[in-house]
Amino acid sequence: MKNKGLVQVYTGDGKGKTTAAIGLASRALGHGLKVCYINFHKGEHKDEHYGELKLLKQLSVDIYRFAERHPHFYKNEPVEKIREECLLALKFIEEIFQQRKYDLLILDEILISVRDKFISEEELLELLNKKPENLEIVLTGRDATEKIIQIADLVSEIKKVKHPFDKGIQRRKGIEY
Ligand code: ATP
Ligand code: MG
């Protein structure tokens, strides 16, 4: 990609953070850019569980998952283990930086890792400092921290006005996953 790569943040309590990131991936792919998608804390579903990941795979996007078990859903998961897996993810992302293989890197829910202290704010900032010039990075997750917001070039906060979960409508295949 000839563009300078920026840091984007999609945060807030409304629906649309992951879908925004995936929408961006579709735009990049349409222009032949190389995309890598990494998620955090998404549970132990196979990639095929998520319609968007199924599609990204078909489009030859490289997909990786780290720290699948979040204590919110897996009450007995040791936090040290989650922390270790997040550290592995940070190392892995640094390797990706060195490879210069991608134009767009999506770190889905990494802001949750920071919010829940599996990754410190400083660790994420240090990582972003090492970002190659031409790589665009997307961070998603609720509760982006102040410093992350400061260093990002683009921040969109998606505010919930209504969500069907509030009236008991369960997650729907093809809509929520
Ligand atoms: P989506 O993946 O639909 O773009 P999201 O990435 O903005 O949503 P997350 O915080 O990652 O939202 O939420 C994970 C799951 O919870 C998704 O299935 C999403 O649809 C749903 N969700 C999003 N916002 C809310 C909300 N305000 N209340 C309840 N559930 C929500
Ligand atoms: Mg999401």
Side-chain angles (χ1 to χ4, degrees):
M1 184 163 71
K2 291 174 208 78
N3 300 333
K4 180 175 160 50
L6 303 178
V7 176
Q8 305 193 15
V9 166
Y10 295 99
T11 191
D13 64 355
K15 172 177 165 74
K17 300 172 290 293
T18 297
T19 43
I22 301 296
L24 200 67
S26 72
R27 182 172 285 168
L29 289 166
H31 285 299
L33 302 187
K34 296 261 175 332
V35 178
C36 180
Y37 168 96
I38 301 178
N39 70 31
F40 295 78
H41 316 303
K42 282 263 196 180
E44 288 181 310
H45 298 297
K46 292 202 176 86
D47 293 341
E48 284 66 27
H49 172 77
Y50 294 98
E52 66 272 29
L53 299 189
K54 234 167 137 174
L55 181 71
L56 291 187
K57 255 190 181 167
Q58 288 165 18
L59 298 171
S60 308
V61 170
D62 292 331
I63 296 173
Y64 302 95
R65 306 181 292 173
F66 286 92
E68 280 115 323
R69 291 167 153 251
H70 187 277
H72 183 74
F73 297 105
Y74 300 86
K75 302 286 177 215
N76 299 322
E77 190 67 6
V79 290
E80 300 76 24
K81 186 161 169 265
I82 304 173
R83 163 81 179 142
E84 268 171 38
E85 289 173 25
C86 285
L87 284 179
L88 281 178
L90 294 178
K91 264 180 93 175
F92 182 75
I93 295 164
E94 273 198 44
E95 282 163 24
I96 282 183
F97 286 178
Q98 283 156 16
Q99 289 168 4
R100 303 277 197 278
K101 192 168 148 192
Y102 302 107
D103 303 296
L104 174 64
L105 172 64
I106 297 170
L107 302 176
D108 197 13
E109 303 287 8
I110 196 169
L111 298 175
I112 295 297
S113 320
V114 175
R115 181 194 71 184
D116 297 343
K117 312 254 184 294
F118 300 120
I119 295 175
S120 73
E121 189 183 46
E122 290 66 34
E123 281 167 335
L124 180 55
L125 292 168
E126 267 175 40
L127 179 78
L128 294 172
N129 249 329
K130 297 178 192 157
K131 179 187 90 59
E133 174 88 9
N134 294 329
L135 178 68
E136 186 91 6
I137 297 197
V138 174
L139 314 173
T140 85
R142 293 165 190 224
D143 301 316
T145 59
E146 264 317 305
K147 282 186 190 156
I148 303 289
I149 289 172
Q150 265 173 30
I151 62 96
D153 302 287
L154 180 159
V155 180
S156 288
E157 182 176 9
I158 302 177
K159 176 180 157 20
K160 183 186 85 164
V161 176
K162 279 183 162 187
H163 195 289
F165 282 18
D166 298 343
K167 56 177 178 188
I169 297 176
Q170 296 297 307
R171 55 209 297 270
R172 293 162 302 154
K173 187 173 184 175
I175 305 291
E176 266 79 44
Y177 65 95

